[in-house]
Amino acid sequence: MTTNEPQNIKIVNCDPSALGLFGLAMVTLVASSQKLGLTEGVSFVLPWAIFLGGFACINDSKRQNTFGTTAFGGYAFFGLE
């Protein structure tokens, strides 16, 4: 039995805010390890901040989440400072 009725497909993506919060937690962990003297320099912090913050910012903007876009975008740009 075949019909020519159109099918509706809905693609659902997960909320990227959890990834951005994970990135923020990782940056905090690495920055704390620097203050404790376990690591030196900012080379460990920058990839976490730029990649995860930027990724969460872009995906939050696709979901039209203004707060998440602003918060994680600022967090990613802070890593570029």
Side-chain angles (χ1 to χ4, degrees), residues 6-18:
Q7 295 180 353
N8 293 330
I9 299 174
K10 184 177 181 182
I11 298 173
V12 179
N13 295 330
C14 65
D15 188 8
S17 296

Side-chain angles (χ1 to χ4, degrees), residues 4-59:
N4 292 334
E5 296 177 17
Q7 295 180 353
N8 293 330
I9 299 174
K10 184 177 181 182
I11 298 173
V12 179
N13 295 330
C14 65
D15 188 8
S17 296
L19 182 65
L21 290 175
F22 172 72
L24 182 61
M26 290 304 298
V27 169
T28 304
L29 176 71
V30 173
S32 297
S33 71
Q34 289 174 352
K35 293 202 183 262
L36 292 173
L38 300 175
T39 59
E40 294 179 3
V42 294
S43 62
F44 293 113
V45 174
L46 293 179
W48 288 103
I50 295 168
F51 176 72
L52 292 175
F55 186 78
C57 171
I58 291 168
N59 285 315

